[in-house]
Structure formats: structure tokens, C-alpha cells
Amino acid sequence: MLGLGSLSSVGVIATAKTKYQSDQIKLLDNPKRTFKVFGGITLRKHASARGILYGAAAREDLLVSNPELATSYAQQCGILVPEWELKWNILRPAPDKFDFTKADWLAKFAHTHGMLFRGHTLVWHEALPPWFNSTVNQQNAQKFLVEHITTVTKHYAGHMHSWDVVNEAIEPNDNRADGLKNTPWLQFLGPDYIDLAFRVAAQADPKALLVYNDYGLEYDNPKDEAKRTAVLKLLERLKSKGTPIHGLGIQSHLTGYETHFNPKKLRRFLADVASLGLKILITELDVVDQKLPAAFTVRDRIVAATYEDYLSVVLAEPAVIAVLTWGLSDRYTWHSTYAPRSDKAAVRPLPLDSQLKPKLAWNAMARAFDKAPRR
Ligand code: XIL
């Protein structure tokens, strides 16, 4: 039983730890960084001036119900990716049915505003429809996979900049020699499901850039290092067997208070991927601000520094051709659900605030685009 004395010391330790953490976080903040930007142009233009595509993930329901948000997308984005609408759980209401209504609305919106359109994602173990587990099995999995990829890819053939063909298929903690995640697709079809997915997509839309997409590749820690190694090995295997893969998507869900960021190691990884002849896309960029101070001035400055420091490194690699944020405005971000703050304050991970005004993160991205080598 802890005595009062020890209880108070536990309290002291906890306070000291919190204070240490907040001191550490304050060290992340540099009030001298003003993130000055010139030109008064949009992110789309800052990026395209360097031959880079900038865009964001969007949701049909949100653009329909927020016309002013739709206007911000039309102004800021040169490429659009559906956040939900091209996933199995939306596209596949039943085993024998496809519903493209919502995705088609976003494709039309992109076309209307002169944006490119990218697809996310043909093969994933999440966002599966309720009927999936009770219907798909070892015997019919290949039929379902080939039919899904063929039907969906053909539906947009010729109009799709790129597809995330396979999403999040690597998990070193699943202890497989090949580093693959033990997903239903792997269980039903074996490791070659990845090669199969790319070949079927390439047959259905020979014009689209076919991408493998994953997360947890960004930081200097043992987990990310192991994942970078496993992803690189997967890409090398696929290229050596002639799989029609053209790019790596790095999701880039960053953390504002992460101090283990090693530009040299990240640059080396990007160069190794590029040396395989692959393009690189930053596909789901945002910055978690959970443990950052509540004050907008400090929080926004640290988030902006995270954006600028990361993009300055990745954009130095000429194979990086596109940057998409996972949303555009703090008004709607998946982090409200997936990485909420303990103080219940609204999270601020994206370039525009909830009133659609550019934040320092917007400036940071513009500055990183301006400094990037021209493609
Ligand atoms: C997320 C969406 O943003 C959420 O709204 C949804 O509830 C779950 O999926 N990596 C991915 C994306 O590849 O598809 C995920 O999107 C975020 C993590």
C-alpha cells in the first residue's frame, strides 16, 4: 500500500514529468520563425511553379454541404483524392453491386475545377463493407479482388492521375520474413496478391500511375526504420519480378512534438526508392498537435515548423512529384476522432483553419514549395 509520503512523491514525479514534457515542447517552439511568404498566390500555384502537384483529400458530403469549403478546394488544389468514396465500404453496398455516385461527384468536381484526380485505395484491409467477412474466403477472394480492381479502375480509366493500388501491406511486427502484414488478402491469396493487384490495375488503366501507399516511414526510430527497410525490400521484389508499379505513397501523418526526425536517413530512403525508378507522392500529410500547448500562436508555429522542415527534406528529392494533405481545413479532419486533444480543444493539423483562413502551416508549405528544386 503506498503511504501518503510516497503518494505525494508520485505526484511530484508526475508533475515533474509533465513539466519536463512541456519544457521539451516549448523547446520545439521558435518565436523567431515568422514563416513569411510572398506572392499572394495559392498553394496550387506555389507548387506548380516548381513542377510539383499540391492537393488534398476531400469528402463529397462535406463539399456539398459547405460551398465555401468547396471554393477553397477549387482555389488551393491541383489534385484531389476522395477520403472515403473510393474505398470498398462506400463503393460496394453488396457483393454483386458497385455504387460510384459519390466518387463520380468528386471526379466531376475535380474535372470542373481543372484538378487532377487520384484514387485511394483499391486493396486495403480496412474500410471493408459489412458483408466482406461473411462472404469473401480462400476460394473466392481472387475473383472478388480481380473483379473489384478491374471494375473500379476501368470506370475511371484515362481520367485517373494515380491509384493507391495497395495500402498499408507492410507490418514488421507480424514477424514475417517478407515483412507483410497478416491481412485477409494475404491469408486468402498469399504474398503474390500485391503483384496480382498491380497487374490487374495496369491492364484496366494503362495510363494511371500505380502506387504502393503506407505510413510510419518518416521518423528516426526503430519502428519506422524497420518499416522503411521492409517497404524498400517489397519495392525491390516487385520491381525485380516486373510488377507494373510506378510509385511509392508516403502517407506522412506527422507529429508536432516528435523530436526524432533525421533528414539524412529520410533522404537516403527517398533516394533508394527513387533509384528503383519509382516516383514518390506525399499522400496524406497532416500534423498531430495532441500534446502541443493549447495556445494557437505556439501550437500553429510548431505545426508549421513540422510542415516546413519535413517538406524541405522530401521536396529536395526530385522523384517527389506530389504533396497532398489529408484534408484542407481544420473544420474537418480525421484527427478530431483519431488524435483528439486531452484538453478537448479542437485540433489544428491542416493548412487552413476552421474559418478557411490560411494558417502558418499554409505559409510553411508555400515556403517549402518555393525552395524546392524545379522538376
Ligand atoms: C481514414 C479517414 O480519414 C477516416 O475518416 C476514416 O474513418 C478511416 O480512414 N490511412 C489511410 C486513409 O490510408 O485511408 C485513412 O483515412 C487514414 C490513415
Side-chain angles (χ1 to χ4, degrees):
M1 175 71 175
L2 283 173
L4 272 181
S6 47
L7 274 177
S8 62
S9 62
V10 166
V12 166
I13 292 167
T15 314
K17 190 163 178 293
T18 317
K19 187 180 174 316
Y20 168 76
Q21 272 180 341
S22 64
D23 289 348
Q24 282 301 307
I25 282 171
K26 284 227 171 61
L27 284 175
L28 290 171
D29 184 27
N30 175 358
K32 291 197 177 69
R33 286 185 78 165
T34 57
F35 300 97
K36 273 222 174 319
V37 179
F38 304 95
I41 54 176
T42 61
L43 284 179
R44 172 177 186 163
K45 289 230 175 357
H46 278 283
S48 62
R50 315 304 288 171
I52 299 162
L53 279 170
Y54 168 71
R59 277 172 43 190
E60 173 264 348
D61 59 324
L62 300 180
L63 296 193
V64 167
S65 54
N66 292 260
E68 70 288 2
L69 178 64
T71 302
S72 294
Y73 273 86
Q75 288 165 341
Q76 298 291 341
C77 299
I79 186 169
L80 199 76
V81 62
E83 181 176 352
W84 286 0
E85 294 74 3
L86 282 172
K87 292 173 178 173
W88 280 62
N89 59 343
I90 305 287
L91 278 182
R92 306 298 303 275
D96 59 347
K97 279 200 178 53
F98 290 82
D99 181 354
F100 291 102
T101 315
K102 293 177 176 295
D104 284 353
W105 189 95
L106 284 170
K108 186 162 181 290
F109 177 85
H111 180 72
T112 303
H113 298 288
M115 298 174 193
L116 295 172
F117 192 54
R118 80 175 309 264
H120 172 82
T121 174
L122 293 169
V123 183
W124 194 23
H125 53 278
E126 296 197 21
L128 293 170
W131 53 262
F132 187 91
N133 289 335
S134 56
T135 312
V136 181
N137 56 45
Q138 193 118 17
Q139 285 63 46
N140 64 21
Q142 179 153 330
K143 176 188 82 66
F144 271 102
L145 185 76
V146 171
E147 181 192 37
H148 182 82
I149 297 174
T150 304
T151 307
V152 177
T153 314
K154 274 194 172 150
H155 185 84
Y156 296 104
H159 305 286
M160 198 56 100
H161 168 267
S162 53
W163 269 108
D164 289 336
V165 175
V166 175
N167 194 35
E168 303 182 1
I170 290 286
E171 178 44 80
N173 287 340
D174 282 3
N175 296 315
R176 286 177 54 97
D178 57 15
L180 292 184
K181 187 179 179 70
N182 194 24
T183 70
W185 296 115
L186 180 75
Q187 289 156 25
F188 292 147
L189 298 171
D192 285 346
Y193 81 92
I194 298 175
D195 174 71
L196 173 66
F198 277 90
R199 288 180 190 279
V200 174
Q203 189 147 36
D205 185 355
K207 282 195 184 156
L209 195 85
L210 302 180
V211 175
Y212 171 73
N213 192 52
D214 217 329
Y215 69 96
L217 302 168
E218 301 83 10
Y219 287 114
D220 184 16
N221 59 53
K223 195 165 181 296
D224 285 22
E225 185 61 28
K227 195 153 185 182
R228 284 192 289 270
T229 303
V231 164
L232 197 55
K233 287 208 170 89
L234 169 67
L235 298 175
E236 288 165 350
R237 283 199 303 276
L238 292 173
K239 288 300 284 182
S240 67
K241 67 186 346 180
T243 303
I245 178 170
H246 313 121
L248 169 67
I250 302 177
Q251 290 183 15
S252 309
H253 293 297
L254 307 179
T255 304
Y257 41 90
E258 172 60 70
T259 52
H260 298 90
F261 176 60
N262 184 322
K264 213 160 151 241
K265 284 192 179 177
L266 184 58
R267 282 290 307 275
R268 163 64 58 79
F269 173 66
L270 299 173
D272 289 345
V273 172
S275 69
L276 295 173
L278 296 173
K279 297 299 183 191
I280 299 167
L281 297 84
I282 306 301
T283 51
E284 305 182 16
L285 181 60
D286 52 22
V287 177
V288 171
D289 68 356
Q290 271 176 319
K291 297 198 182 112
L292 295 181
F296 287 5
T297 44
V298 176
R299 188 158 29 132
D300 286 358
R301 211 163 32 219
I302 295 174
V303 167
T306 308
Y307 269 104
E308 184 165 354
D309 295 348
Y310 179 75
L311 286 178
S312 300
V313 172
V314 299
L315 291 174
E317 168 51 65
V320 176
I321 59 168
V323 173
L324 293 98
T325 44
W326 204 241
L328 182 61
S329 155
D330 297 337
R331 187 181 296 185
Y332 299 106
T333 165
W334 75 302
H335 283 318
S336 302
T337 313
Y338 287 79
R341 290 174 55 91
S342 54
D343 62 7
K344 307 277 184 280
V347 294
R348 297 171 64 86
L350 289 167
L352 304 186
D353 68 15
S354 51
Q355 307 312 316
L356 310 180
K357 296 276 170 294
K359 293 158 55 196
L360 289 181
W362 187 100
N363 293 36
M365 296 185 73
R367 289 164 54 88
F369 289 137
D370 291 349
K371 285 184 302 188
R374 193 188 301 278
R375 270 73 178 142

